[in-house]
Amino acid sequence: MIVSLIIILIISLSGLSLTYLFAKDATFLWRLAAGNIVGSSLFGLVCFVIANFFGLSIFAVLIGLLISALPLLLLRDKAAKRRLKDDWQRGKDKNQGVSYRKVWRIGYYLFFLILFIAFFDRAMIVGNDGIFTGGSQNFGDLPYHLGAIFSFTDGQNFPPQNPSFAGAKFTYPFIADFLTACLVKFGASLQSAMFVQNVFWAFSLLVILERFVFKLTNNRLAGKIAPFILFFSGGFGFLWFFKDYWYGTQGLWEILWNLPTDYTIGEKFRWGNSLVVLFLTQRSLLLGMPLTIIVLGKLWEFFATEKEEKEDEEENQKLKVKRIKENSSEIVVYLSPFIVGLLAGTLPLIHAHSLVFLFIISAFLFFFSLQNWKNWIAFAAGVSVIAIPELIWLMAGSVTNTSEFIAWHYGWDLKEGENLLLFWIKNTGILILLLILSFGLIFLPQQREDAELEESKKVKGKRQKSDAKTLDSRISTNHLIFFLPFLFLFVISNAAKFAPWEWDNIKILIYCFVGAIPFVAFLLAWLWEKNEVLSKALAISCFGVLILAGTLDVWRTASAQIRSQVFDADAVKIADKLKRITEPDDLFLNAPTFNSAIVLTGRRSLMRYTGHLSSHGIDFAARENDVKKIYAGDGTAEVLMRKYGVKYVLISPRERDGLPVNEQFFQKYRVIAEEGNYKVYEVK
């Protein structure tokens, strides 16, 4: 774990130094959180390029780390060094002494840090009896990520082939898993590397979301509320919990420590809690979302910020503009939007759906802020520099059937005959109602002014200029326009699917949810700040209804109530043997399942889980049929093994349970490894 912490600290400080190029006013904590995300993205891409030429080794990771640390040289500049010192001092001053406000601030972050530690500790559990997961929705996703990580650390999978479908390009956004592989190659254990990364990325998302909501609403309490709504998201599932309690025999305390099911995902619910169904299972989103929100915050500035006063404009130019004289002409390069564009351009290999989301948001907002066209052009140029080469590389030679990704599909994951409105109310609770009410509040400028006046009375000293601005009806209209593309994406995601498996639309829908959070959080903050007992009670009640179902599911995971075996002890042992006696590029035949022991070897499989393959748009039907023929000892079995280049065949409980295995056929081949009910035959 120490190795992981040291590397993360270095890349976070490097990313922190880059934030001074695109973020003018920010706290030290935000810069550190954003630095973790930016630094991770930079480090991952640099190491990946190096690994494609020289393989993944300690030397490659060290070189990548040194290159990724070069932005630290920016802090040699006196002005940058002074700003860093000032930011550090302001952050330090905020936490010195004892007061209610300071205790609340520290307690707030400490609560989430403890939550993330307890929660992500359950992602992967290694014991003498095998490998387990404590996430109810992580049973199939954990081995997929392990397969990707081991393919980099032990399979030297460069340029990357899909470890689950040999011979096909690996087009899944894999940088999050590749970053874990880098830490492992440098000496960290896999379990600790995943854990530390997940905790740091989640905490960074917390800080980045908080500041984004504050910038959007100009309300600090709304910023504090927003992460609760995201991380404890849920619907009316808590009503089913009370039903289970009422009709059960257990006491309240007993049932809370033995929750029988999830209350945001399952047969009755499809939205799921974000921590349980997304951030634990889809590590790419855990890195991609905070990066996307950083960019989204900058897009809001392009869209909503008016021209600054002359003196402010001159100061901004020092930070944002670099003049280059060439052939007696002056080209103004907007560094800030260009650099943010570069960050967005890394998303194809980090989380592709996030890039699609940003493209739609950017295209929409551009037409409502044409006066800032230079910023938009600089942003687009930055995106293109990085994203276009990545997309070309990903698409060249890909076996993904893109026609499977887009089709008309009504109601997202709606059951046949179910009402769409009731479906969303059941899954998201009162969120839609509060969102509508919040927009009604936006168009009551006087009440907005009263709320801000009330907030300003609580803050000692002179407020920042940006904090003191009154959000009049023009700005309020900007908020509504800013939300329209989120609403458009929500509607279109309920009318069409953008992945072979319609539930994967959640990768877009979650951003619609993120777009709604600032307005709902502002409404709750406004109610609380009314200083009326009824208003405060209403705010607390609405807040509780929003997060109660999600809290139950998060608690179920964080309190270690789930322990599902993914790999048994024999699978782990035979995988270790195969790592020692086989070559990294050897091809294995195993059952098309997600938890084959071959996953842990880093070697390629002819074919693994059909659910993963279909969700990535891969046509696997012909190969699946050939796999069945080989295991059945069909007359064409040897021909097929030569055709695909299979060198080893695994026969284990997974194959015996799911396939017609003719073990007598394989007895003519040499057994190279055996452990319990696991046997590996060398067939080439």
Side-chain angles (χ1 to χ4, degrees):
M1 186 174 293
I2 298 298
V3 173
S4 300
L5 290 172
I6 292 173
I7 293 179
I8 289 175
L9 177 61
I10 293 172
I11 62 178
S12 295
L13 292 175
S14 177
L16 178 148
S17 65
L18 287 173
T19 65
Y20 286 100
L21 297 178
F22 63 84
K24 177 185 176 185
D25 297 314
T27 64
F28 181 81
L29 181 61
W30 182 89
R31 292 194 188 278
L32 193 59
N36 177 35
I37 301 302
V38 172
S40 295
S41 304
L42 175 63
F43 177 58
L45 289 176
V46 169
C47 286
F48 178 66
V49 172
I50 295 172
N52 272 278
F53 287 98
F54 306 106
L56 186 61
S57 62
I58 295 178
F59 177 75
V61 176
L62 182 59
I63 295 300
L65 186 61
L66 291 174
I67 295 175
S68 302
L70 288 177
L72 287 170
L73 296 176
L74 294 171
L75 298 180
R76 295 180 62 185
D77 179 73
K78 291 183 179 180
K81 190 182 297 184
R82 183 175 63 254
R83 292 180 64 192
L84 174 61
K85 185 178 180 180
D86 291 343
D87 288 340
W88 166 257
Q89 190 61 47
R90 280 195 297 269
K92 186 178 177 181
D93 292 342
K94 282 184 178 180
N95 296 303
Q96 285 184 338
V98 178
S99 68
Y100 171 78
R101 186 179 297 275
K102 291 175 182 178
V103 171
W104 152 251
R105 184 188 301 115
I106 295 173
Y108 176 84
Y109 293 119
L110 188 60
F111 165 78
F112 275 105
L113 180 60
I114 294 172
L115 169 69
F116 295 146
I117 290 173
F119 186 84
F120 288 108
D121 184 56
R122 306 300 297 169
M124 179 182 177
I125 306 162
V126 179
N128 294 330
D129 49 349
I131 297 176
F132 299 76
T133 183
S136 62
Q137 306 298 311
N138 201 34
F139 190 62
D141 290 274
L142 175 61
Y144 184 83
H145 292 296
L146 294 181
I149 295 168
F150 281 123
S151 78
F152 296 130
T153 58
D154 296 274
Q156 287 299 322
N157 189 18
F158 303 101
Q161 290 186 33
N162 192 329
S164 300
F165 199 75
K169 177 172 283 189
F170 198 17
T171 55
Y172 179 85
F174 49 75
I175 286 296
D177 290 329
F178 176 74
L179 280 164
T180 306
C182 290
L183 298 186
V184 171
K185 209 67 180 179
F186 210 72
S189 71
L190 174 58
Q191 187 179 10
S192 67
M194 288 182 63
F195 169 73
V196 171
Q197 283 180 321
N198 289 344
V199 170
F200 273 80
W201 289 341
F203 193 83
S204 296
L205 174 57
L206 159 73
V207 176
I208 290 166
L209 176 64
E210 178 192 355
R211 181 174 185 260
F212 170 70
V213 173
F214 169 66
K215 286 178 63 178
L216 203 65
T217 64
N218 207 27
N219 187 292
R220 296 188 184 279
L221 181 58
K224 297 293 186 184
I225 292 172
F228 282 98
I229 300 176
L230 175 64
F231 292 119
F232 295 102
S233 60
F236 279 126
F238 62 88
L239 297 177
W240 274 256
F241 164 74
F242 288 126
K243 179 182 176 182
D244 290 340
Y245 164 66
W246 185 260
Y247 290 104
T249 59
Q250 296 176 309
L252 180 60
W253 185 250
E254 189 178 3
I255 193 174
L256 284 174
W257 280 97
N258 297 277
L259 290 170
T261 186
D262 286 335
Y263 292 97
T264 65
I265 189 73
E267 292 184 5
K268 298 182 180 68
F269 303 95
R270 301 305 300 151
W271 177 241
N273 169 263
S274 62
L275 275 170
V276 172
V277 305
L278 292 175
F279 299 136
L280 186 69
T281 63
Q282 300 183 28
R283 304 183 71 239
S284 297
L285 181 64
L286 191 57
L287 176 60
M289 179 175 283
L291 181 61
T292 302
I293 295 177
I294 291 172
V295 177
L296 192 60
K298 203 65 182 178
L299 297 186
W300 165 253
E301 290 181 15
F302 298 165
F303 168 69
T305 303
E306 284 297 299
K307 293 181 180 179
E308 303 287 347
E309 297 178 4
K310 186 175 181 180
E311 60 270 18
D312 292 333
E313 192 170 288
E314 290 174 354
E315 182 180 352
N316 287 340
Q317 294 302 316
K318 296 176 183 178
L319 301 173
K320 296 181 179 179
V321 180
K322 180 181 178 182
R323 284 183 165 79
I324 302 174
K325 293 185 177 181
E326 183 178 355
N327 297 328
S328 299
S329 66
E330 190 179 68
I331 303 174
V332 178
V333 181
Y334 285 77
L335 289 180
S336 175
F338 181 75
I339 290 172
V340 173
L342 292 176
L343 297 179
T346 65
L347 284 169
L349 293 178
I350 294 174
H351 192 253
H353 283 81
S354 294
L355 182 65
V356 173
F357 160 76
L358 283 177
F359 175 80
I360 294 173
I361 296 293
S362 302
F364 190 96
L365 296 180
F366 169 73
F367 290 102
F368 285 91
S369 56
L370 292 175
Q371 71 276 11
N372 288 328
W373 66 271
K374 290 182 179 179
N375 282 329
W376 289 105
I377 295 299
F379 172 72
V383 174
S384 301
V385 168
I386 304 293
I388 290 178
E390 288 183 350
L391 290 171
I392 292 174
W393 180 82
L394 284 171
M395 294 170 63
S398 171
V399 300
T400 299
N401 187 358
T402 54
S403 64
E404 295 288 327
F405 278 77
I406 301 178
W408 294 111
H409 184 86
Y410 172 73
W412 182 45
D413 211 18
L414 189 72
K415 291 182 180 178
E416 186 175 352
E418 193 173 5
N419 180 277
L420 182 61
L421 178 60
L422 293 179
F423 168 82
W424 278 111
I425 291 176
K426 181 175 70 173
N427 277 277
T428 62
I430 60 174
L431 180 84
I432 296 175
L433 173 62
L434 295 180
L435 180 63
I436 295 171
L437 292 176
S438 70
F439 283 122
L441 180 63
I442 282 176
F443 288 102
L444 296 175
Q446 184 58 48
Q447 296 195 50
R448 291 290 299 277
E449 291 171 15
D450 292 343
E452 294 203 11
L453 179 61
E454 200 63 37
E455 181 187 0
S456 66
K457 292 178 181 178
K458 302 175 185 177
V459 181
K460 295 180 180 180
K462 187 178 179 181
R463 295 173 61 89
Q464 293 180 358
K465 180 179 177 180
S466 60
D467 294 357
K469 289 181 180 178
T470 297
L471 300 183
D472 57 22
S473 58
R474 175 185 56 76
I475 296 294
S476 299
T477 303
N478 281 346
H479 284 80
L480 178 59
I481 295 173
F482 183 73
F483 182 71
L484 286 179
F486 293 89
L487 180 61
F488 167 77
L489 284 169
F490 178 77
V491 172
I492 198 67
S493 294
N494 279 276
K497 64 175 185 176
F498 301 99
W501 182 29
E502 59 272 8
W503 190 84
D504 273 347
N505 269 20
I506 198 170
K507 296 175 183 178
I508 295 293
L509 287 167
I510 188 61
Y511 280 113
C512 302
F513 182 69
V514 168
I517 285 176
F519 303 101
V520 174
F522 178 81
L523 176 63
L524 296 180
W526 179 82
L527 287 171
W528 179 262
E529 291 167 349
K530 292 285 285 183
N531 281 332
E532 298 174 2
V533 175
L534 182 60
S535 178
K536 289 182 181 294
L538 184 59
I540 293 173
S541 300
C542 291
F543 180 71
V545 171
L546 281 173
I547 70 168
L548 184 52
T551 300
L552 290 169
D553 284 3
V554 172
W555 166 252
R556 186 173 182 234
T557 298
S559 59
Q561 297 183 34
I562 304 169
R563 193 173 188 266
S564 303
Q565 188 177 63
V566 184
F567 298 98
D568 59 35
D570 289 340
V572 176
K573 291 175 183 177
I574 201 165
D576 288 338
K577 288 182 179 179
L578 293 174
K579 287 182 184 180
R580 294 193 299 267
I581 63 177
T582 64
E583 297 298 322
D585 59 349
D586 285 339
L587 180 62
F588 280 77
L589 181 71
N590 52 263
T593 183
F594 55 87
N595 59 344
S596 170
I598 306 305
V599 167
L600 304 176
T601 67
R603 277 46 173 170
R604 296 169 298 136
S605 292
L606 182 62
M607 180 179 172
R608 290 180 194 164
Y609 185 44
T610 58
H612 291 153
L613 299 177
S614 62
S615 67
H616 298 156
I618 296 175
D619 184 3
F620 58 83
R623 188 174 293 190
E624 181 183 28
N625 188 50
D626 289 343
V627 169
K628 292 178 180 178
K629 287 181 178 179
I630 296 172
Y631 272 110
D634 186 85
T636 60
E638 293 185 346
V639 174
L640 290 172
M641 286 191 290
R642 286 196 298 270
K643 170 188 172 183
Y644 289 112
V646 173
K647 188 170 184 179
Y648 301 105
V649 175
L650 170 68
I651 296 181
S652 72
R654 304 286 86 76
E655 284 71 31
R656 297 185 184 99
D657 292 343
L659 294 169
V661 179
N662 182 355
E663 294 195 50
Q664 187 176 358
F665 169 78
F666 292 99
Q667 288 178 0
K668 60 186 175 181
Y669 298 109
R670 182 170 70 96
V671 176
I672 65 160
E674 184 173 2
E675 192 71 45
N677 292 320
Y678 290 74
K679 285 185 179 181
V680 177
Y681 295 91
E682 183 178 17
V683 297
K684 183 179 179 181

